[in-house]
C-alpha cells in the first residue's frame, strides 16, 4: 500500500513558532492596528465588512489567538477578578456560594481567576496577587491587612472586597459574622431548657476563623442573658471516629445536657459516637449542628441545625461591578450572613 | 482641638497613578533594565549589592509591584499552569485531590490559576484559555478535542494534560477509568450471591461523565461472566428525599436484591429511604456506595463502598513539570484510578 504524504497545512507549518498579530496582518494584507481593532471588536474605528472578514479568516488559518495579557497591558486595565483560593477546607455550602459568584461575575463579562498562593499569607500574598494586575480582588477569609489593600490598589485594582469576619481599612467588606450562628444555636438550646452546653471546636487547623466566633456567640448568648447558672464548655474534636469515641466515653462525666457540634458533619460524627455509647439523644443530650445539609434530614433522630443564609452570587457580583465602576466611592460594609434555627428531632 | 495635617507620603502621593518600573529607575538613579534585572533576580547580569539595595528601597518606597504579564511577555513564556475549574459539582474526594495537586505545583514554582470559563465548552473554551498564555494546561473532565489541544499548543502551551475517561490526540492523558469502579462493585455483589442488581444513575446534570462508565462497568462485570440469569437495571435518582422515597415505594416491584448506589452520598440517601419503607439491608437488598467517605462508617448498617485511589498530587505535578521541560516528548498515557471494595455491613 502506497502512503500519500499529506500536504503541509498552515497549522502544521506553524508548529514551533507561536503566530502573532503581525503574521495575521501580513496574511490579510492589513496593518497590525487593523488586526487589533477587528479582533478586539473595537467599535470606535469603522472597518469595512470585507476587511473584517479577511482578518478573521487569516487569524483562523494561522490559528492565532489574542494574548489577554498583552491586550490588558495596552488597554491599561483588565477584566480579571482575582479570587485567592481559600486555604482552608470549605464545606459544600460555601463551595456552592463561590461557584454561583463566579458564574454571576462571568455573566457581567469579568474573567474570574482563582489563584492558589501556597505558602504566602496576608500582605505578602497581596504582593503576589498584585503582580497579576487584577481589576478587582475578592478575598475570602482573614489575614489581609490595610497594607495589602494599599499594595493592590497601587497596582491598579479598582476594588478590593473582603469576605470575612472583620472590616479591613480601604476595602469593601462583606461581613460574615459567625457569632450569629453560635448565638442562634445557644438561644435554641436555652429555650429547650438546656443549661450545660458543650461547643465542639474542630481540631483541624484553619477552621478557627469560623469556630472561634461560633463559640464566642454561644458564650455571649448564654452569659449575656444574666447567666442563671448556665455553663459553656469547649470541646476540641478531630474529624475522626476514634476521637469521637474517646469524647463519648467521658461524656457522662462532663454532665452536659446539650451540644452545639460546630456543623452538621461534626454533629453526625459526635451523635453516632454518643448513641453507640448509650447516650440518649435528645433525652440525655440535645444536639444541634449547622449548615442545614441534606445528611441531617437523613439521620435518626433527624438533626436540628442552624441554616446559614449567604447572599446571592448575583448581588455580590453587582457590588463588585459597582465598585469597579466607581473606585473612589467610600468602602461599603454589608452584613451578609443570616442564621436561622431549623429545629428537628435531635434537640 | 487643632488638627495637624499629615505630610503627604510617597504612597498617598502615588494614589491615582500606578507606579511603574520607570518611576523606580528614576528614584534609584539607575536604568529601567537594571530595575528589571534586580527585581526579577536575573543571575545572568552582575549588579553590585549597593545598587540592588537602592532599587529594592525605591520599589518599596513607591509601592511598586512587578507586572507578571509584562514579565512573561518579555520572557516569552510564563510559569502559569491553568486548570479550568470543573463545571460539575465535585465531591470531597476530588476536591482534596485538586487541592493537593495545586499545592505540589506551587512548590515546583508554578503559579496555578483556576479559570472558570462559564458557558463555553470544549474547543471554544480552549481558545479562551489560550488567551492567558499558560505554560501548561490541566483539563479535568471531557470535552476538549484535538483541535483545542492544537490551539493551546500554538499559543505556546508546552504541555496539555487531560484528566478524564479518554485520551485526546496531542495531549498527555491521566486516564480515570470509572468502569473499574462499577466492575469492582458488581464483582463484590455477585460474590455475595446477588443477581438482580440496580445501579443508581444521578439525575443531576454533569455527572454522566462518571455515572455512565460506572454503569457500563457493572454491566460488563455481570454479563461478561457468562450472564447466568443475572440482570442489571438502571435507576435514575435525584439527590432529594422525595425522589428517594418514590423509588423506595416501588422497590419490591423491581425485585432487586442489590444496588450499587453511584457513591456514598446517594447510597446514604437511598438506604435511608429503603429502611423507612421497611426494606431490610442487607437481608432484602445489599447496598454498596463508592468514595469511602467517613459518613459510610457512621451509618447503621455500616455502608460497604468502593475505595477510589487517585494519584498523589506530587506525582502529577512532576509529570506536568517533565512535560513542560520536554515539550517534544510523545504524549504520556497513564491509568491513575484504582478501585478496591471495602466490605462493611450493608452488603
Amino acid at each position: 500500500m502506497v502512503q500519500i504524504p499529506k500536504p503541509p497545512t498552515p497549522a502544521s507549518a506553524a508548529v514551533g513558532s507561536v503566530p502573532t498579530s503581525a503574521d495575521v496582518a501580513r496574511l490579510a494584507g492589513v496593518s497590525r492596528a487593523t488586526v487589533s481593532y477587528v479582533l478586539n471588536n473595537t467599535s470606535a474605528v469603522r472597518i469595512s465588512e470585507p476587511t473584517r472578514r479577511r482578518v478573521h479568516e487569516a487569524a483562523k488559518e494561522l490559528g492565532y489567538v489574542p494574548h489577554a495579557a498583552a491586550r490588558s497591558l495596552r488597554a491599561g486595565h483588565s477584566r480579571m477578578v482575582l479570587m485567592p483560593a481559600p486555604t482552608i477546607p470549605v464545606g459544600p455550602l460555601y463551595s456552592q456560594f463561590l461557584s454561583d459568584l463566579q458564574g454571576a461575575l462571568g455573566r457581567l463579562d469579568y474573567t474570574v481567576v482563582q489563584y492558589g498562593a501556597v505558602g504566602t499569607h496576608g500582605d505578602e500574598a497581596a504582593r503576589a496577587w498584585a503582580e497579576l494586575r487584577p481589576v478587582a480582588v475578592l478575598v475570602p477569609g482573614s489575614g489581609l491587612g490595610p497594607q495589602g489593600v494599599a499594595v493592590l490598589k497601587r497596582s491598579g485594582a479598582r476594588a478590593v472586597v473582603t469576605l470575612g469576619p472583620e472590616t479591613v481599612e480601604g476595602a469593601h467588606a462583606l461581613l460574615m459574622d459567625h457569632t450569629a450562628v453560635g448565638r442562634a444555636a445557644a438561644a435554641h438550646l436555652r429555650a429547650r431548657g438546656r443549661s450545660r452546653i458543650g461547643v465542639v471546636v474542630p481540631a483541624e487547623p484553619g477552621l478557627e476563623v469560623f469556630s472561634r466566633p461560633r463559640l464566642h456567640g454561644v458564650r455571649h448568648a448564654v452569659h449575656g442573658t444574666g447567666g442563671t447558672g448556665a455553663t459553656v464548655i469547649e470541646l476540641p474534636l478531630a474529624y475522626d471516629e476514634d476521637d469521637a469515641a474517646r469524647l463519648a466515653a467521658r461524656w457522662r462525666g462532663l454532665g452536659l445536657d446539650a451540644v452545639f457540634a460546630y456543623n452538621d458533619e461534626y454533629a453526625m460524627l459526635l451523635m453516632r459516637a454518643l448513641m453507640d455509647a448509650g447516650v440518649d439523644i435528645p433525652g440525655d443530650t440535645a444536639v444541634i449542628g449547622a449548615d442545614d445539609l441534606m445528611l441531617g434530614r437523613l439521620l435518626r433522630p433527624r438533626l436540628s441545625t442552624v441554616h446559614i443564609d449567604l447572599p446571592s452570587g448575583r448581588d455580590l457580583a453587582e457590588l463588585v461591578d459597582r465598585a469597579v465602576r466607581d473606585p473612589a466611592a467610600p468602602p461599603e460594609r454589608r452584613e451578609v450572613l443570616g442564621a436561622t434555627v431549623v429545629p428537628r428531632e435531635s434537640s
Side-chain angles (χ1 to χ4, degrees), chain A:
Chain A
M1 191 179 158
V2 180
Q3 286 213 333
I4 300 163
K6 287 185 193 145
T9 63
S12 66
V15 161
S17 71
V18 179
T20 65
S21 66
D23 299 329
V24 177
R26 209 171 302 122
L27 186 62
V30 300
S31 71
R32 270 188 77 174
T34 302
V35 170
S36 165
Y37 292 142
V38 171
L39 295 183
N40 294 314
N41 267 320
T42 311
S43 54
V45 183
R46 246 199 77 72
I47 292 166
S48 74
E49 215 23 70
T51 304
R52 280 186 192 277
R53 211 176 308 124
R54 230 163 50 237
V55 170
H56 282 298
E57 277 163 10
K60 199 174 167 194
E61 190 173 340
L62 292 171
Y64 171 73
V65 176
H67 191 317
R71 188 164 54 198
S72 68
L73 274 177
R74 282 195 304 272
H77 62 83
S78 71
R79 293 287 287 175
M80 184 204 291
V81 175
L82 186 69
M83 288 186 67
T87 50
I88 51 170
V90 297
L93 183 74
Y94 193 66
S95 300
Q96 186 55 48
F97 163 68
L98 288 182
S99 151
D100 286 351
L101 177 59
Q102 288 197 35
L105 283 167
R107 282 185 292 277
L108 288 173
D109 234 9
Y110 290 96
T111 296
V112 182
V113 165
Q114 269 199 41
Y115 182 24
V118 177
T120 54
H121 299 285
D123 294 342
E124 189 198 337
R127 283 185 60 84
W129 306 336
E131 292 199 8
L132 296 174
R133 295 291 191 273
V135 71
V137 185
L138 252 168
V139 190
S142 64
L144 183 73
Q147 295 224 325
V149 174
V151 164
L152 289 166
K153 289 195 160 177
R154 272 201 304 272
S155 78
R158 297 192 187 192
V160 179
V161 183
T162 61
L163 276 143
E166 60 224 0
T167 56
V168 181
E169 199 191 315
H172 301 281
L174 298 170
L175 287 166
M176 294 195 170
D177 177 12
H178 283 265
T179 61
V181 180
R183 280 200 311 272
H188 169 74
L189 294 172
R190 292 292 285 142
R192 289 280 200 263
R194 308 296 167 130
S195 61
R196 292 188 52 84
I197 300 174
V199 178
V200 168
V201 176
E204 283 68 26
L207 296 177
E208 307 83 20
V209 61
F210 304 120
S211 64
R212 287 286 134 200
R214 288 183 185 190
L215 172 62
H216 186 78
V218 172
R219 285 197 202 282
H220 185 264
V222 168
H223 300 307
T225 55
T228 49
T231 37
V232 175
I233 291 170
E234 191 176 333
L235 302 170
L237 175 64
Y239 191 61
D240 144 335
E241 277 184 289
D242 291 342
D243 206 43
R246 272 191 297 271
L247 178 56
R250 62 190 184 90
W251 197 256
R252 295 194 196 276
L254 293 169
L256 300 171
D257 58 15
V259 62
F260 168 48
Y262 176 67
N263 73 9
D264 290 350
E265 288 169 303
Y266 283 83
M268 180 183 186
L269 173 67
L270 180 57
M271 197 160 91
R272 167 52 55 200
L274 291 175
M275 288 165 78
D276 287 352
V279 176
D280 182 57
I281 313 269
D284 298 331
T285 302
V287 178
I288 184 167
D291 284 0
D292 195 8
L293 299 185
M294 161 82 88
L295 72 82
R297 293 195 292 265
L298 303 177
L299 300 179
R300 298 295 179 267
R302 290 178 177 83
L303 181 66
S304 297
T305 191
V306 181
H307 179 87
I308 296 176
D309 286 307
L310 293 175
S312 83
R314 197 174 140 174
D315 284 355
L316 288 202
E318 281 167 4
L319 181 144
V320 170
D321 190 46
R322 266 202 313 282
V324 166
R325 286 165 193 276
D326 187 5
E332 267 189 63
R333 178 200 159 109
R334 266 164 62 180
E335 293 277 353
V336 293
L337 189 141
T340 324
V341 169
V342 181
R344 294 199 191 107
E345 301 160 359
S346 67
S347 64

